Amino acid sequence: MTDAATNTVDPAEIAKFEAMAAEWWDLEGKFKPLHMLNPCRLDYITSQIAAEFGRDLNGPAPFDGLRILDIGCGGGLLCEPMARLGATIVGVDAAAGNIPVAEIHAQQSGLIIDYRHNTAEAMAADGEQFDVVLNMEVVEHVADPLGFLTACRQLLKPGGLHICSTINRNPKSFMMAIVGAEHVMRWLPKGTHEFSKFITPNELFDLLRNAGMDPVDRKGFQFNPIMWNWRISDRDLSVNYVTAAIKPA
């Protein structure tokens, strides 16, 4: 396993997201793809947490008592729904410019969320522990995926749940995530993604195991260009996909 003290932050990647920080809550801005994907992401995240911790999503504050970390929280698109479900939520981002944007929006929404400009490695070194670690669309931007995932594992309590989404690496993902999203639709600035940093599902499962976690599930996020929405797929992991893993007790 890699020492979690390793710095996995890629300064060039951080600079990309610093430049877009003010647009996090603009539904038609540079983060429009994430706003479109967010309901699908939330369906997966909440169902996995509910199943793992025996929570009823139809009850009041179903995540009460759970401490959740969102690494690479950006403007808080996942933190805010987790807070509304009753979780104690910490949002961390290596891009300092994202934090005040997230804090202001949370205040306007009447939510208490602990936002920090920090890294997974630094928090692991401080001995922080969480029931759930969310790691969504981050691993393809770090300098050392194994070191980053090792820090994620150290941040989990024994038996804790790690949810990680990223982009597959194949010709279809290149056409959709880079050519389509960045060049044709111009949803994202050119250069947001690097094809060489994309990770296949099998590679990610191997990384999770090498980081000390047990992968238990993977699903695809499939875009429907006719309905203009996303859905969870059991079979199509060809572009966007998500995994769940457990830290052994």
Side-chain angles (χ1 to χ4, degrees):
M1 295 178 193
T2 302
D3 185 347
T6 303
N7 182 7
T8 65
V9 172
D10 185 332
E13 294 289 332
I14 298 306
K16 294 177 188 176
F17 290 94
E18 287 270 18
M20 299 186 283
E23 297 195 45
W24 271 105
W25 290 96
D26 181 355
L27 298 181
E28 298 298 324
K30 291 183 174 67
F31 294 103
K32 180 177 180 177
L34 273 185
H35 284 281
M36 293 171 61
L37 177 58
N38 219 36
C40 194
R41 295 197 304 174
L42 283 167
D43 281 349
Y44 184 84
I45 291 167
T46 54
S47 64
Q48 288 292 319
I49 295 174
E52 185 63 30
F53 295 96
R55 302 302 177 95
D56 179 4
L57 289 173
N58 294 317
F63 293 168
D64 183 41
L66 294 178
R67 191 167 191 244
I68 298 177
L69 172 65
D70 182 15
I71 298 176
C73 64
L77 272 63
L78 290 174
C79 288
E80 294 201 4
M82 294 298 106
R84 289 190 178 95
L85 289 169
T88 298
I89 179 80
V90 178
V92 172
D93 208 292
N98 289 335
I99 300 304
V101 174
E103 288 177 333
I104 290 169
H105 198 273
Q107 291 169 5
Q108 292 172 340
S109 303
L111 298 171
I112 298 174
I113 299 172
D114 181 358
Y115 285 116
R116 309 179 193 176
H117 173 221
N118 208 339
T119 65
E121 294 79 17
M123 294 186 69
D126 288 340
E128 297 248 19
Q129 294 274 276
F130 297 87
D131 298 289
V132 180
V133 171
L134 305 179
N135 169 13
M136 312 296 284
E137 289 83 48
V138 177
V139 71
E140 72 270 24
H141 296 288
V142 303
D144 176 7
L146 179 56
F148 174 65
L149 292 171
T150 299
C152 291
R153 187 259 304 162
Q154 292 179 332
L155 285 161
L156 282 170
K157 298 176 184 177
L161 174 66
H162 176 264
I163 299 179
C164 177
S165 65
T166 189
I167 303 174
N168 205 337
R169 188 182 67 255
N170 54 47
K172 181 178 178 181
S173 68
F174 177 81
M175 290 302 297
M176 293 189 68
I178 294 179
V179 176
E182 296 182 16
H183 294 263
V184 178
M185 301 304 294
R186 297 186 180 180
W187 282 337
L188 296 168
K190 294 177 183 178
T192 296
H193 292 111
E194 294 180 36
F195 181 69
S196 63
K197 288 190 171 184
F198 289 174
I199 301 171
T200 70
N202 287 341
E203 288 171 348
L204 183 54
F205 263 29
D206 286 343
L207 283 166
L208 289 165
R209 291 189 187 100
N210 289 335
M213 291 183 274
D214 295 330
V216 294
D217 188 60
R218 59 186 181 188
K219 296 285 192 297
F221 291 145
Q222 187 179 48
F223 183 67
N224 184 328
I226 305 299
M227 300 300 293
W228 209 247
N229 60 15
W230 293 82
R231 70 179 184 89
I232 296 171
S233 173
D234 290 329
R235 292 180 294 177
D236 186 359
L237 282 70
S238 58
V239 185
N240 298 79
Y241 69 96
V242 61
T243 64
I246 303 296
K247 179 177 178 175

